[in-house]
Amino acid sequence: MKFALTSVKPVLGEFELIRHYFAAASCAQAGEGVALGIGDDCALLQVPVGEQLAISTDTLVAGVHFPESPDPFLLAQRALGVSVSDLAAMGATPVGFTLALTLPSADADWLQAFASGLDRMAQQCAIRLIGGDTTRGPLSLTLTVFGRVPAGMALTRKGAHVGDLLCVGGELGDAAGALQLVLGQRETEPAVAEPLLARYWSPMPQLDLGQALRGKATAALDISDGLLADCGHIAAASGVALIIEQARVPMSAALLAFAGESASRQCALSGGDDYRLAFTLPTAHLADLQQAGWPVRVIGRVVAGEGVTLLDAQGQPVKLPFSGYQHFGRVSD
Ligand code: ADP
Ligand code: MG
């Protein structure tokens, strides 16, 4: 039931739009785990015996999470990548996602490009569009992703043990470093700009790494709000302290070339939008994972206590002037 006065139908017609751009998209076609997709009141998912469903929702709002008038292909690709990253963080295998789309108007070219971007990321993540909702209003997207994970094997934020290593799944800070390029505030040579913009616009969820960490990592999450803030979540949920050695936090050559050492470090520690995994790992698993080629970079360790401590190259604690992004500000400083 919708209130006629507040829910204005897009020009194209809501049902035509859904049928043409979403139900017809290749990512909306039948696939493993989806018993019923777009077109009915609910989708139906088939969860294998012995597995659990992992579910996560993310909302992206124009002007808050992406520029006001983004490229629709890149927007769709990024929105889905960001959402699926939560499945990677739990060690889950993607099954399906829903898309609640609020649009100021129904422009055919815009929708076509948007659907193509969605298709591209959906194919890379092997996830299918199973339903959604379409309304008119200021541009925003809400994606809900569904994945499956063997019962009891999901990687959670709780479980880090004193003595574990603290690791990340690769270089950090590129997406935050790309923000000036995204907003058109700065330009640079393609060899530097392209890798940074790619990390912003098409964050590839570390799905394979997440699944490889099942039964090995003791706690995990994907870094969305910045390494320091997100490590704080693992520390709090696990009832431990995390020590991060600043010199071991990996940064890309492109970021260093673009932003210089000090600003790059700030991006890597607090910038957000990385969508790399951060996890705690018993020392015994490190060599096997690295030899198998997984991008496991040790940046610190788990000790008794609480909170996150950053150490400089001399092993001295660094005062933390910055933290991750929070929409409603900090409760205390
Ligand atoms: P209802 O009124 O029963 O909620 P809708 O008319 O909103 O159904 O949607 C009709 C069908 O189209 C449903 O299966 C819904 O999941 C799907 N759908 C609506 N919008 C989208 C979208 N943006 N992307 C994918 N599927 C959508
Ligand atoms: Mg609906």
Side-chain angles (χ1 to χ4, degrees):
M1 162 78 188
K2 290 170 184 160
F3 295 98
L5 286 177
T6 55
S7 173
V8 183
K9 297 276 188 256
V11 185
L12 240 178
E14 182 184 339
F15 299 115
E16 195 186 350
L17 185 159
I18 294 167
R19 201 168 49 244
H20 193 77
Y21 295 101
F22 297 113
S26 21
C27 65
Q29 306 317 305
E32 196 193 335
V34 182
L36 183 64
I38 293 177
D40 217 306
D41 291 310
C42 289
L44 297 173
L45 296 183
Q46 202 67 45
V47 184
V49 173
E51 301 206 353
Q52 290 172 316
L53 207 49
I55 304 168
S56 168
T57 291
D58 278 300
T59 293
L60 301 184
V61 177
V64 178
H65 301 96
F66 55 83
E68 288 286 353
S69 301
D71 176 310
F73 181 96
L74 295 175
L75 172 64
Q77 183 179 261
R78 177 167 190 269
L80 184 55
V82 165
S83 300
V84 172
S85 179
D86 283 324
L87 295 179
M90 299 295 286
T93 303
V95 176
F97 70 101
T98 59
L99 167 68
L101 183 60
T102 305
L103 285 174
S105 63
D107 176 88
D109 291 342
W110 196 96
L111 283 160
Q112 189 60 60
F114 183 88
S116 303
L118 210 57
D119 260 338
R120 174 133 196 275
M121 184 57 78
Q123 191 181 4
Q124 284 173 301
C125 298
I127 191 164
R128 276 161 295 276
L129 179 60
I130 58 168
D133 198 23
T134 308
T135 52
R136 183 186 277 201
L139 179 61
S140 93
L141 320 170
T142 297
L143 285 93
T144 303
V145 292
F146 300 83
R148 54 187 179 81
V149 64
M153 297 291 282
L155 306 172
T156 68
R157 298 173 179 199
K158 184 180 173 185
H161 287 300
V162 172
D164 288 346
L165 301 169
L166 174 62
C167 306
V168 291
E171 291 150 343
L172 304 182
D174 283 355
L179 213 54
Q180 288 178 305
L181 299 168
V182 170
L183 297 173
Q185 293 169 348
R186 230 186 111 180
E187 286 184 3
T188 187
E189 52 182 305
V192 171
E194 279 165 13
L196 298 182
L197 284 168
R199 293 283 315 156
Y200 181 88
W201 283 118
S202 60
M204 276 312 301
Q206 296 194 291
L207 288 162
D208 293 343
L209 176 60
Q211 290 164 33
L213 292 175
R214 283 183 201 151
K216 296 190 170 72
T218 48
L221 49 61
D222 64 322
I223 304 170
S224 54
D225 296 330
L227 176 70
L228 295 175
D230 285 323
C231 281
H233 297 318
I234 292 183
S238 299
V240 296
L242 300 184
I243 308 260
I244 299 175
E245 295 173 50
Q246 187 168 270
R248 300 180 83 173
V249 175
M251 295 182 286
S252 74
L255 180 63
L256 288 164
F258 181 66
E261 169 95 27
S262 166
S264 295
R265 186 181 303 130
Q266 182 160 342
C267 288
L269 293 174
S270 311
D273 286 336
D274 286 303
Y275 303 106
R276 301 261 200 210
L277 301 188
F279 48 96
T280 54
L281 191 70
T283 320
H285 293 305
L286 180 66
D288 282 354
L289 285 167
Q290 286 182 331
Q291 273 157 26
W294 294 109
V296 177
R297 310 283 295 263
V298 178
I299 60 163
R301 59 192 187 277
V302 182
V303 297
E306 60 181 40
V308 178
T309 302
L310 184 67
L311 300 182
D312 66 16
Q314 285 70 47
Q316 296 303 310
V318 178
K319 197 166 179 308
L320 299 176
F322 37 75
S323 67
Y325 186 75
Q326 292 190 22
H327 285 272
F328 297 102
R330 296 173 62 96
V331 175
S332 63
D333 252 323

